Structure formats: structure tokens, C-alpha cells
Amino acid sequence: MTDNGTSVRTLSDPLDDKDPKLKGNLGTLGLFFSVMAFNAPLVVVIGVIPIMIAIGNGLGTPVLFIIGGLIVAAFATGFLRMSEVLARPGAFYAYITAGLGKKIGLGSGLAMLLAYFCCCVGYLPFGGIVLGSLVSNTLHGPDLPWYVWALVFWLIVAVLGYLRVDFSAKVTAAVLFGELIVVFIYDVAILARGGAEGLSAAPFSPSNWFDGSFAIGLLLAAGMFGGYEVTVLFRDEVRNPAKTIPRATYGLIACAVVIYATTTWLFINALGTDDAVSLVTADPTGAMDSTMVTFGSRFLLDAATVLVNTSVLAVLVCAHNVGARYLFNMSADGVFPRALSGVHARHGSPHIASMVMSAAALAVNMVVVVLNIDAMAFYAAVLGVAALTGITVQFVTAIAIPIYLKRTGNHKDHVMKSIVLPLAAAAGFGSVVMLSIFRFPILTGGSQTVSNLLLVFVYGVFAFGFVLACALQRWRPEVYKRIGRQ
């Protein structure tokens, strides 16, 4: 039963045939590339791993990717079991509603929409900066403000988001392939030369597991596995969801663990275990660039610089597509105006929701420009909000899944998938959230005031969703009944 006394629908109780449905023809590889591109492996290698070593867990950083991967894998097992039982494209939004009720479900859905929107908004100035650097420094072109180049990214994303998702998948697949080649060459080059002083296993030693800030390091590591929710969110747009979704999900997690943990370990060895942390802390970007030139070549660094731009584009496309589908699902439920749930007759895409996402992202960045807010500071703040919000919603989902499966009897013969592993993931996510809240000022430049304001904003969105659901229950019960794609 839901919190309004109505029965929770299961796989055998489909949504109304009149509900708008998206269309697509994604296979396993297409879905995998769409999700993996959102994780932006080259952006993680060049822009995140050095930061994690500097302000996170130091030499112990490679282990955090393994721990984060295990937590996410435990969660994914229950997540996929839930997708078999409750065939809804709403993903976290639908699953939390089914397990914990419509009020918590709507709060979580709005929070997750915020997380994806923050990625859309934050990566635009970051993209503008890296593209501007490429044009002026590498290609010796004009030196223009970051927002000019950000507009280029915005236009491309707006067009791709409007079109059929299959087309976006092809674009992101091509981008991801190039990224993986660069990372592979970089790793092999360091392995072949044995690092700076010979390959050391010190980063995996228990004595280094809790170097620096374990909490912030784990928050960032777990955040680098984000996006696997897309596998279920695109349910109506893939071929054979029963096979495609599990393959893409487990493939994503396994690939991310291997790439991130291995590359971090090799990066540390390229600098030397004795000097790695001090060198990265002094100049995160310079440290990575120097290892690329030393163990690879200038061409490898230039190729990586180009592909960071395409990687940013892939992140923006995926975040935009997911955010648009959250907006679509909530408007299909009636929480937002139903007009936003329009489906393009030819492309089968949520084109109206996509245009709203594009307009909103542009508007926020215009405010950043007008108020002359530092682009990188803005990027760091909104990405911190996105990471903490996403992990919090996953924690809530990990609790909702076993409750729903136990209540409906769908846990039988699947106790490990349905109960044990989701609760283990909940313990992991919950620990990350609590530790990160206390250490959040590290992500905001040490400002406790800014950190507190951001935390109030994040959890204020949850509260707003809860209050909105209460209002809908009283004044618009027909809409309240549909919350969570129920």
C-alpha cells in the first residue's frame, strides 16, 4: 500500500495506455556508451583524480574507487531486481515512491532533477574554459571570454537533446571511444617504463587507506559512478530491457572501477609515491600534464586536451537527456504542467522538456555572467551540490527497495538481491553522506557559511517536494495519486 491507501502497482499492473511514452532503439552497447560517457573518464582522469589526491585521500585514493564501486555494485543488484518487479521509467523517483510513499518520493525526485540540472549548468562554464584554452593556447586562435565558448556547447547540447536519443548515443559513443584510447595509451606507457621509481603497491597498502580526508575522497569516488540510473530511466527507449539494462549497468560499474583505480595507481607511480601528494597539491593540472608528456608525448597531451572538450560535451548531453526525462516523468504525472510531457512525433524524444532544460541552463549561466561570478568557483560549488544530492537520493533508494520488495513478497528466492545487498549499500551511502556533510567546507574552499547555505539548499529541495506532495494530496488528489509513475 502507498501512503494514501492505494495499492502499489507491480509489473502486471501497467500504466495507463494513454500515458505518453518515449521511443528509441538502444542496444546494450548504445546504452553503455550513453551512461559511461556521462562519467566522462577523461575528465575524471585529468580533472578529478588529481583533486582527489590533493584534498581527498592522498596515496590511498585508488582504494576509494574500489570501495565506491563495491557500494554501487551492491546497490545496483537491488536496483536491477526492482526494475524487474516495477517496470517504470521513473527510476529513483518511481522506486522511492513505491517503497517509502509519495511525499518522500516527490522530494527525492525533485532533488535528483536538481542534481542533473546542476551538472548541466556547472559543466557549461567549465566547458567554456577548456574550449577557450584549446582554441587560444593550442590552436592559437582568438582569446575570447569563457561564456562565448560555453554558448557553443549549449547550442550543440540543445540540438542533440531535442533529437532521438539513439542519435545522441552515437555521438557519445564516438567521443567515449577516443577518451578510452587516450587513457589506455597513458596507462600502458607508465606500465612499460615502470613509473618514476619502479611500480609500487603502496597506494593499496592499508596504512594509506585513511590518508587525508577519507570522507571527501569517498564522496567524489562514489560520485564518479553516477549515471547508471540512466539504464532504467531509458527503459522505454531500449531494445529488450530485461537483458540490455543489467548488461549495461554491470558493464559500466566494472569498467569504471578498473579504469579509475588503475589509472590513479599509475598516476601516483608516475610521480613517485614519495612526492606524488606534494606535487599534485602544488599543481593538480600541471602534475597530470607533466606525466602525460614524460611517459607519453606532447601529442598525447594535445590529444587529451582536445578530447577533454568532447568529454565535457558528452557529460552535458547525458545530463541534459536525463534531466529532461525527469522533467518529462514528473510532468506526465501532473506535478509539472502536462504540456512538458509532450513526445516528438518523429524523434520520440521529450522535446518540450528538453527545450525547458536548455532555456533554464542558459538563464542560470547568464546570471553567472551578469553578476561576474568566478566560473571555476561556480563549477566547483554546483558539482559539489550534484554529488551530495545524488548520493543522498541513492541512500534513500537503497532503503526503499527492500521495503517495497518485502512488502509485495517479491523478495522470496531473492533475499540477497532484494534485502541484504541493498541494505549494505544503504549503510555505505549513509556513511558517505554523514561524513561528507561534516567535511563539506573542503569542497567550498573552506567557507563554512557557503557550505551551510548549499546544504540548506540541497535538503530544502527535499523538504519542498514533501510539502508540495502534501498540498497535492489535499487540493489535487488526482495528481497526488500519480506521483512516482504509479
Side-chain angles (χ1 to χ4, degrees):
M1 302 289 285
T2 61
D3 54 3
N4 68 336
T6 59
S7 298
V8 177
R9 297 178 180 182
T10 61
L11 187 60
S12 60
D13 187 15
L15 290 169
D16 192 330
D17 291 338
K18 294 181 180 180
D19 278 6
K21 292 191 69 175
L22 303 175
K23 301 175 184 177
N25 195 36
L26 282 174
T28 300
L29 287 179
L31 185 59
F32 169 82
F33 284 131
S34 294
V35 181
M36 190 65 190
F38 177 72
N39 286 272
L42 195 56
V43 171
V44 173
V45 169
I46 292 178
V48 179
I49 287 175
I51 299 300
M52 289 177 63
I53 294 173
I55 69 172
N57 211 38
L59 287 183
T61 299
V63 176
L64 295 184
F65 285 114
I66 298 174
I67 295 173
L70 289 174
I71 295 174
V72 170
F75 174 79
T77 302
F79 179 69
L80 292 172
R81 174 59 185 159
M82 189 73 165
S83 74
E84 296 172 0
V85 175
L86 193 70
R88 296 289 181 271
F92 295 163
Y93 168 53
Y95 298 168
I96 292 174
T97 301
L100 299 176
K102 298 179 184 299
K103 298 180 181 69
I104 297 177
L106 184 55
S108 300
L110 289 178
M112 208 61 204
L113 175 59
L114 169 67
Y116 287 116
F117 182 67
C118 280
C119 289
C120 293
V121 170
Y123 269 99
L124 281 174
F126 178 74
I129 290 171
V130 296
L131 181 55
S133 176
L134 172 65
V135 171
S136 61
N137 298 333
T138 304
L139 303 179
H140 307 295
D143 185 7
L144 301 175
W146 68 264
Y147 50 81
V148 175
W149 305 115
L151 185 61
V152 174
F153 279 109
W154 179 84
L155 286 170
I156 296 173
V157 173
V159 172
L160 292 177
Y162 187 89
L163 300 176
R164 190 179 178 96
V165 71
D166 308 43
F167 183 74
S168 295
K170 292 175 182 177
V171 173
T172 54
V175 169
L176 178 63
F177 187 68
E179 292 181 55
L180 294 179
I181 288 177
V182 168
V183 174
F184 177 76
I185 293 174
Y186 175 73
D187 288 352
V188 170
I190 297 174
L191 273 173
R193 293 177 56 179
E197 306 163 346
L199 296 177
S200 170
F204 296 105
S205 172
S207 62
N208 292 315
W209 286 3
F210 298 98
D211 288 355
S213 176
F214 180 84
I216 293 299
L218 189 55
L219 172 67
L220 293 173
M224 295 308 102
F225 294 91
Y228 59 87
E229 181 193 16
V230 175
T231 58
V232 171
L233 205 61
F234 282 177
R235 168 175 285 277
D236 291 341
E237 300 167 85
V238 300
R239 297 192 302 268
N240 194 357
K243 292 183 178 179
T244 299
I245 291 175
R247 288 173 181 171
T249 302
Y250 287 127
L252 164 73
I253 296 170
C255 188
V257 169
V258 171
I259 291 174
Y260 299 154
T262 301
T263 304
T264 305
W265 171 61
L266 290 171
F267 173 52
I268 291 172
N269 274 278
L271 295 171
T273 54
D274 291 336
D275 301 321
V277 175
S278 60
L279 290 173
V280 173
T281 301
D283 185 3
T285 303
M288 177 58 73
D289 290 352
S290 68
T291 60
M292 284 203 166
V293 174
T294 301
F295 290 89
S297 64
R298 181 69 200 185
F299 176 77
L300 181 64
L301 177 60
D302 289 342
T305 302
V306 172
L307 286 168
V308 163
N309 283 272
T310 57
S311 183
V312 170
L313 175 62
V315 174
L316 283 166
V317 169
C318 191
H320 175 93
N321 282 341
V322 179
R325 279 153 183 80
Y326 256 91
L327 194 57
F328 169 88
N329 281 311
M330 291 187 190
S331 62
D333 287 346
V335 175
F336 294 130
R338 288 295 294 257
L340 298 180
S341 62
V343 179
H344 195 282
R346 178 182 176 185
H347 303 300
S349 62
H351 63 300
I352 299 177
S354 177
M355 289 189 292
V356 170
M357 284 287 292
S358 296
L362 180 62
V364 172
N365 274 274
M366 287 177 65
V367 172
V368 173
V369 173
V370 171
L371 297 181
N372 197 30
I373 298 173
D374 181 79
M376 284 304 294
F378 175 74
Y379 163 73
V382 295
L383 264 294
V385 169
L388 183 59
T389 304
I391 297 298
T392 301
V393 173
Q394 289 174 78
F395 164 68
V396 177
T397 308
I399 295 174
I401 287 173
I403 290 177
Y404 175 81
L405 295 176
K406 179 70 166 59
R407 186 173 66 232
T408 59
N410 285 293
H411 68 294
K412 297 176 181 178
D413 301 322
H414 300 280
V415 174
M416 185 62 70
K417 290 181 180 180
S418 304
I419 306 295
V420 178
L421 290 176
L423 290 179
F429 285 138
S431 299
V432 173
V433 169
M434 292 304 299
L435 290 171
S436 298
I437 288 175
F438 290 113
R439 304 287 287 175
F440 203 62
I442 294 176
L443 286 174
T444 58
S447 173
Q448 188 64 55
T449 300
V450 172
S451 298
N452 291 341
L453 290 174
L454 290 176
L455 289 172
V456 169
F457 177 62
V458 168
Y459 294 108
V461 171
F462 278 92
F464 173 75
F466 188 94
V467 173
L468 178 59
C470 292
L472 291 172
Q473 183 180 26
R474 179 171 182 178
W475 288 295
R476 297 191 64 189
E478 73 284 358
V479 171
Y480 180 79
K481 183 178 179 180
R482 296 175 60 84
I483 290 175
R485 304 314 309 272
Q486 301 301 301

